[in-house]
Amino acid sequence: PMSNQHSVLNPSAVIRLPLTALEKSPRNVRKSDVGDVSGLAASILANGLLHPLVVATHGKRYAVISGWRRTLALRHLVTTKALPKDYQVECRVVADADADADAEIELSAAENELRMAMHPADQYDAFRAMLDVGKTADDVAARFGITPAVVLQRLKLASVAPALIAKFRADEINLSQMMALAISDDHDAQMRVWTNAAKQGSWAMNPNELRAKLTQGEIRASSDIRVRYVGLEAYERAGGVVRRDLFSSDGDGCYIADVDLLDKLADAKLEKTAAKVRREGWAWVEVRQKVGYDDLHRFGRAEGVRRSLTADERAELSTLNAEDAELEREADKLWRGNFEEGSAEQERLNAIETRQQAINQRRQSIDDGRSVDLDSVKAHAGALISIGQNGAKIERGLIRPEDAKVLARTMAAAAGDDLDGGGEQDDGARGTKGKAETSEVLTRRLTAHRTQAARALLATNQTVALATLAHTLITQTFFAGSPLDSPLALSIRNESRFPTEDASIADGRAAQLLEARRQEIAAQLPRDEEDVYGWTFGQSVENLLNVIAYCLAMSLDLVQAKSTTTTERGCDIATTDTLTAALALNMADWWEPTAASYFGSVAKAAIVTAVTEVCGADTAQPLNKLRKGDAAIAAEQAVTGKRWVPALLRQR
């Protein structure tokens, strides 16, 4: 009990004071942020002020010792016009506390310390009582200043077994555990799971563990592709049971109880798609809910199927590749010299370019001629229908192993080959002349074993692996070779020529360094492409790595057509940023904005923004009065030497 000298509270001194006359006492012990008071305001509006404020007189104003949060809630109601501006509030007045600060602080501490939040179990008892007399969840929410969702959550706790609620009241079970147990309405299951968890230890009493035990055998709707494909509403219309977790933090707590029904619905929907695909004329159409890489790997592909090169085509391609490589070497020598426009050297370069274009067109024509009309193979191919990320996924043109031989004959017929013997065959699976020594199926089987054995050895032989990789990259970078010239199923694209009118790309410092590197490597390489593989085995690891680095660099493509999150080829910008960060790329070392390279191609507002960023507003603002061209030139002069680059060139 308070001592007599501190008994300044007069129990009968409850008066109504204007809300505008109240201020916070400097001795109020609640110093921290009171947070959102809208819920408290709603409760006061619905139920009235259940406890008067405690105030002390300070001249003509009154200082709130206890109840400042309630004061702010009342002000909130005035601001929202729920209460009038001249609203008067009940206050319990203590004596002038200027002479007795200790009493004021003690009163403030006592009221704030002794107030206790209602236990959740008491909350849902109160909510249930209100609902029993006809109130709605919205009514209850308004009365307590909370959302209807919170009301439903607290009521859901009432579905937990009474014995567990008793433990909750006794603080033997916490609120998070109760929310997990409430995922099920089966009291026996709740008790069984909790009892077993208590025996196993604290890890088993983790809310996630409890929830997992009670939903065992069910699937979470958000993480199952079948649910997205069928649709939760369609599943429920078919009589499917959905268990909803009202306490899910991400609002995503739906569990599918009838997995068999879900499978049936998914299969039925897939069959509708399959019926349409069957009308396309495929030999077979199969439905599977899931198709993985291993499933597809056992099939051949009729889509984009290409026949083997004929002997004449192989010979012609070899001749074309050799001529192209020789022309490339000749062009390189001419470019190193000095010549004038219209000179014989220039005319020869033009002729070389024209011939190389013709060579490329002929190579493309040969390659295009290897494609087999898809309609001609439908009688030997089929389709798999499965569930994809965005609906039904259709894999057309799949060849079963048993159909591969028949299809091979179809493709051979398209190429004019004679599979029945009578012509010389350049095929290791055949004898010198006449009929094949082994069937195609056996040939593929045996050479697959050979491939697997070679892979096992190559995986542990760094020298051969490095040499083989270097050979593959060199032939495609320096000799315009085909990926088919390498035993590796690996191809790269030479991206040295950019589809842009900016000549400075080809003349810049980076281009000069790359050209010097190319010449250095080219001088080491053998003249003939056929000798490259043998050459790689005679090189040091360091030299091979240098060559590989150059070849990979020439295939690098970071070009963006728009300021999007991917490159023009579709590579994610985050991936390219990882590469440029590892290279410590700073574009200020390689590029500088000029009127021609940047400022002349952006809006005047962007020019002013850039100059403001580098030089400040005093320098930038006068540019607004200039014509666009003059502003671009002025911007170039202002930022020269300042190492500024636009956001698109900065490391993100």
Side-chain angles (χ1 to χ4, degrees):
M2 291 189 293
S3 62
N4 291 333
Q5 69 177 29
H6 288 169
S7 298
V8 296
L9 183 63
N10 183 348
S12 62
V14 176
I15 61 176
R16 299 186 70 86
L17 296 172
L19 187 61
T20 55
L22 303 180
E23 62 186 25
K24 185 178 181 180
S25 169
R27 296 162 187 156
N28 190 308
V29 297
R30 190 184 288 275
K31 303 297 184 184
S32 58
D33 184 9
V34 299
D36 183 19
V37 297
S38 58
L40 177 58
S43 178
I44 292 174
L45 186 63
N47 305 306
L49 188 66
L50 301 180
H51 302 284
L53 309 180
V54 178
V55 300
T57 56
H58 282 270
K60 294 183 179 181
R61 294 187 61 80
Y62 295 87
V64 178
I65 299 172
S66 179
W68 183 243
R69 190 164 181 268
R70 280 169 280 165
T71 305
L72 294 178
L74 290 167
R75 288 182 179 179
H76 174 78
L77 292 173
V78 171
T79 301
T80 58
K81 299 183 179 180
L83 292 178
K85 291 181 180 180
D86 58 353
Y87 181 77
Q88 295 194 346
V89 57
E90 287 188 345
C91 299
R92 190 179 299 277
V93 182
V94 300
D96 190 338
D98 286 335
D100 201 346
D102 287 347
E104 192 171 329
I105 294 173
E106 184 174 338
L107 285 169
S108 179
E111 179 152 327
N112 281 287
E113 180 66 25
L114 294 176
R115 187 181 300 119
M116 182 182 296
M118 185 180 292
H119 193 282
D122 296 331
Q123 276 188 329
Y124 65 64
D125 281 347
F127 295 169
R128 173 57 62 190
M130 293 179 67
L131 292 174
D132 287 344
V133 295
K135 300 294 184 183
T136 66
D138 289 342
D139 295 333
V140 176
R143 287 279 183 175
F144 285 86
I146 56 179
T147 66
V150 173
V151 174
L152 295 177
Q153 287 178 343
R154 290 295 182 261
L155 292 172
K156 181 63 175 174
L157 292 177
S159 67
V160 179
L164 296 176
I165 293 177
K167 291 181 179 293
F168 180 38
R169 290 184 183 278
D171 293 330
E172 296 177 20
I173 298 178
N174 63 40
L175 180 58
S176 295
Q177 292 167 331
M178 284 291 287
M179 292 190 300
L181 292 168
I183 189 67
S184 172
D185 294 328
D186 186 338
H187 288 183
D188 291 338
Q190 294 168 354
M191 290 298 299
R192 182 176 63 256
V193 167
W194 177 258
T195 301
N196 291 337
K199 293 177 181 177
Q200 292 175 283
S202 59
W203 70 268
M205 292 187 286
N206 179 282
N208 290 334
E209 290 291 332
L210 296 173
R211 192 177 289 106
K213 291 293 185 182
L214 287 167
T215 58
Q216 195 168 15
E218 301 176 4
I219 59 174
R220 191 159 188 168
S222 63
S223 59
D224 194 276
I225 196 171
R226 292 169 295 181
V227 180
R228 292 199 298 273
Y229 179 59
V230 171
L232 198 59
E233 292 182 1
Y235 167 78
E236 290 187 281
R237 284 198 303 269
V241 176
V242 176
R243 190 191 302 278
R244 289 180 167 82
D245 183 2
L246 297 179
F247 302 99
S248 174
S249 59
D250 56 6
D252 186 28
C254 291
Y255 292 83
I256 300 298
D258 195 340
V259 181
D260 289 340
L261 175 60
L262 180 64
D263 283 333
K264 291 178 182 177
L265 294 173
D267 288 341
K269 191 171 181 179
L270 287 171
E271 279 295 339
K272 292 181 180 179
T273 301
K276 296 179 182 178
V277 176
R278 288 189 182 99
R279 290 196 289 270
E280 296 174 7
W282 297 101
W284 55 268
V285 174
E286 185 177 330
V287 169
R288 300 183 189 179
Q289 288 188 4
K290 182 179 179 181
V291 173
Y293 173 79
D294 290 340
D295 298 314
L296 291 175
H297 188 65
R298 61 180 289 267
F299 293 100
R301 283 278 187 177
E303 284 185 308
V305 150
R306 300 195 302 169
R307 58 174 174 77
S308 301
L309 290 167
T310 65
D312 289 343
E313 288 170 336
R314 281 195 295 270
E316 184 179 359
L317 282 174
S318 180
T319 301
L320 290 172
N321 289 340
E323 181 184 359
D324 188 42
E326 182 60 35
L327 290 172
E328 189 69 28
R329 285 191 285 269
E330 182 183 354
D332 287 340
K333 291 178 182 178
L334 290 171
W335 277 113
R336 295 190 198 109
N338 295 317
F339 54 84
E340 297 179 357
E341 191 71 28
S343 64
E345 290 86 353
Q346 178 66 61
E347 290 181 3
R348 178 55 184 160
L349 280 170
N350 292 339
I352 288 174
E353 183 177 356
T354 300
R355 176 55 186 159
Q356 286 183 315
Q357 289 176 351
I359 289 173
N360 286 333
Q361 289 174 357
R362 178 54 187 157
R363 284 192 294 212
Q364 186 63 52
S365 177
I366 292 173
D367 194 60
D368 290 344
R370 297 173 60 194
S371 297
V372 177
D373 182 16
L374 190 58
D375 287 337
S376 67
V377 298
K378 280 187 176 180
H380 313 288
L384 278 180
I385 316 295
S386 61
I387 301 174
Q389 294 297 326
N390 299 304
K393 182 179 180 181
I394 307 171
E395 296 281 353
R396 294 178 173 87
L398 301 181
I399 309 298
R400 288 170 172 164
E402 58 268 27
D403 297 328
K405 185 173 182 178
V406 178
L407 180 60
R409 291 182 178 276
T410 301
M411 291 190 293
D417 288 347
D418 181 8
L419 289 186
D420 294 325
E424 291 190 10
Q425 303 294 330
D426 183 14
D427 191 333
R430 300 180 181 277
T432 305
K433 292 184 179 181
K435 190 175 181 180
E437 293 181 353
T438 60
S439 67
E440 182 175 342
V441 172
L442 181 57
T443 298
R444 289 178 59 84
R445 187 190 311 157
L446 294 178
T447 53
H449 278 289
R450 184 170 183 258
T451 300
Q452 195 75 328
R455 285 176 177 174
L457 293 174
L458 185 62
T460 58
N461 193 320
Q462 297 176 350
T463 301
V464 177
L466 199 59
T468 305
L469 175 61
H471 162 255
T472 302
L473 300 180
I474 290 169
T475 55
Q476 295 181 47
T477 303
F478 287 88
F479 293 88
S482 164
L484 298 177
D485 296 329
S486 169
L488 300 179
L490 176 69
S491 65
I492 62 171
R493 297 190 309 170
N494 190 320
E495 298 290 346
S496 57
R497 296 188 178 94
F498 291 97
T500 175
E501 69 281 359
D502 191 346
S504 65
I505 294 177
D507 300 333
R509 176 181 165 227
Q512 294 172 10
L513 291 175
L514 285 170
E515 175 59 20
R517 194 83 183 103
R518 190 197 69 78
Q519 292 183 21
E520 178 185 340
I521 295 172
Q524 306 176 45
L525 298 176
R527 182 180 181 86
D528 296 326
E529 180 181 348
E530 291 77 8
D531 298 329
V532 171
Y533 205 4
W535 175 85
T536 61
F537 284 101
Q539 304 304 304
S540 65
V541 170
E542 181 181 5
N543 195 39
L544 288 178
L545 289 175
N546 286 334
V547 173
I548 289 171
Y550 173 81
C551 294
L552 291 178
M554 298 312 294
S555 73
L556 182 63
D557 185 2
L558 308 182
V559 175
Q560 295 174 242
K562 297 179 180 179
S563 298
T564 61
T565 57
T566 62
T567 66
E568 193 170 15
R569 290 177 51 247
C571 180
D572 194 278
I573 294 301
T575 302
T576 67
D577 285 349
T578 300
L579 168 65
T580 54
L583 294 171
L585 174 64
N586 184 341
M587 282 304 297
D589 298 333
W590 302 89
W591 181 88
E592 189 169 42
T594 65
S597 69
Y598 180 73
F599 292 118
S601 301
V602 298
K604 188 191 289 187
I607 296 176
V608 174
T609 298
V611 176
T612 302
E613 183 179 338
V614 179
C615 306
D618 291 342
T619 302
Q621 289 305 317
L623 272 60
N624 282 312
K625 301 178 181 179
L626 301 178
R627 292 183 300 176
K628 167 71 178 296
D630 295 334
I633 295 172
E636 176 183 339
Q637 296 171 347
V639 304
T640 296
K642 302 295 177 58
R643 294 178 62 80
W644 178 88
V645 296
L648 194 61
L649 296 183
R650 299 173 190 171
Q651 184 66 30
R652 288 152 287 197

